[in-house]
Amino acid sequence: MNIINILNKEFHDKDDIIALLSISDESELELLRAKAEEILFKHTGDKVFLRGLIEFSNYCVNDCNYCGIRKSANVGRYTLKMQDIIDSALWSASQGYGSAVLQSGERRDEAFVDFVCEAIRNIKEKTKSVILPEGLGITLSVGEQSEETYRRFFEAGAKRYLLRIESSNQDLFSKIHPKEQSFENRYRCLKSLQSIGFQTGTGVMIGLPGQTIEDLANDVLFFRDNNIDMIGMGPFIPSADTPMNAEIYPWDKERNLSLALKMIAVSRIVLKDVNIASTTALQAIKDGAREDGLRFGANVIMPQQTPQTVRKDYQLYDGKPFLSESLNDLSIGLRIRVESIGRKLALNEQGDPLHFFNRNSKF
Ligand code: SAH
């Protein structure tokens, strides 16, 4: 079947998705992009939602084979002071960001869970009514936790959670993680988050060693079958101080970038009303790739709001842009960049994923 016929289908099966992800011809790629944009406008509109990303700690109990802040990586460890986290959130809110993402390495101890709950409560309290009636929206990205912990985070006021499945292929998942980390547990975590009532986000790395186009097609089906509300995915980029460094796994930048853009477009076409982030890892491969992500169907960007002093210690992968974007970019550069591709920056809006409400109204 030709690409136009596949693009015009209402429902896409695995073969359709594989065909779309396999596009290499430039004019077909433009057809794919244009379709993703059409569906984006129809289902979610032209707005680009902002989340201020606050990477508040790089301590981690996990040893993921790909990650630059894994437990055994040799990096200076930090946890931001509560006041620094609050200041970053207040700064984000004053710039018109409707939401913040609190992200860190993984810890499950009581002191950490208390600290995160306190940070959520502080941010909510200090931004409520001052900036937005409901306060800054808060998304957490602090890994695998118990159901009880997730519940505490929710009660403290976080309403969204990002936990990438990394790959829906269980064999591949176990190749890139130490045996202490299981696919089953990560999946259980996603289900707990959904049952508690979180707007739930997941995603994968694209271009992992050994990953096939069929794996990626299955990832898109995983998002659909599991009723995921938000997608954050990006190219795999080797990190020097890890077992999956570029010497052991030479990588093809251009391929990973183009596959990542196709994954965004296909996810938009198949999932329709979800939020999809155009992630930092895209930008790390090529300046301007974040705007490309938006052009291919993403509707969320997450500019870093982590204080400059610690950004160099949150290098998940090589070449992560940590100095290039100034904190006041929002008022000048970012707006121009977003408007130049025919989109609008949504200021002072939380930007909930419509899918969350659509799926809940079906019952
Ligand atoms: N500890 C938290 C969040 C921090 S890591 C968690 O595990 O959820 C956030 C994401 O960065 C990971 O889910 C992973 O998909 C991505 N990441 C880590 N190392 C990467 C690499 N080398 N290339 C691309 N993405 C990477």
Side-chain angles (χ1 to χ4, degrees), residues 67-94:
C67 182
I69 62 164
R70 66 203 295 266
K71 184 172 63 180
S72 54
N74 184 20
V75 291
R77 300 286 166 176
Y78 72 88
T79 298
L80 292 181
K81 293 199 170 55
M82 184 63 73
Q83 194 56 48
D84 292 336
I85 299 175
I86 296 169
D87 288 347
S88 295
L90 283 173
W91 166 265
S92 307
S94 73

Side-chain angles (χ1 to χ4, degrees), residues 100-162:
V101 178
L102 297 181
Q103 190 183 80
S104 71
E106 214 162 297
R107 276 176 55 189
R108 286 181 273 274
D109 55 283
E110 200 52 32
F112 176 79
V113 175
D114 287 346
F115 183 79
V116 174
C117 288
E118 203 190 322
I120 299 166
R121 278 194 293 269
N122 273 318
I123 293 172
K124 276 286 175 198
E125 199 184 290
K126 296 202 163 43
T127 54
K128 206 167 264 177
S129 72
V130 185
I131 294 153
L132 295 162
E134 68 282 28
L136 205 57
I138 298 180
T139 308
L140 285 184
S141 175
V142 298
E144 295 176 20
Q145 304 287 343
S146 67
E147 177 143 354
E148 167 61 22
T149 297
Y150 285 146
R151 210 173 286 283
R152 285 182 59 196
F153 291 156
F154 192 78
E155 279 159 12
K159 294 290 173 280
R160 303 189 189 126
Y161 204 101
L162 299 173

Side-chain angles (χ1 to χ4, degrees), residues 66-67 103-104 141 143 164 166 205 235-237 314 316-317:
Y66 45 83
C67 182
Q103 190 183 80
S104 71
S141 175
R164 291 189 181 179
E166 312 297 359
M205 283 178 286
F236 163 67
I237 303 175
Y314 206 87
L316 302 174
Y317 41 80

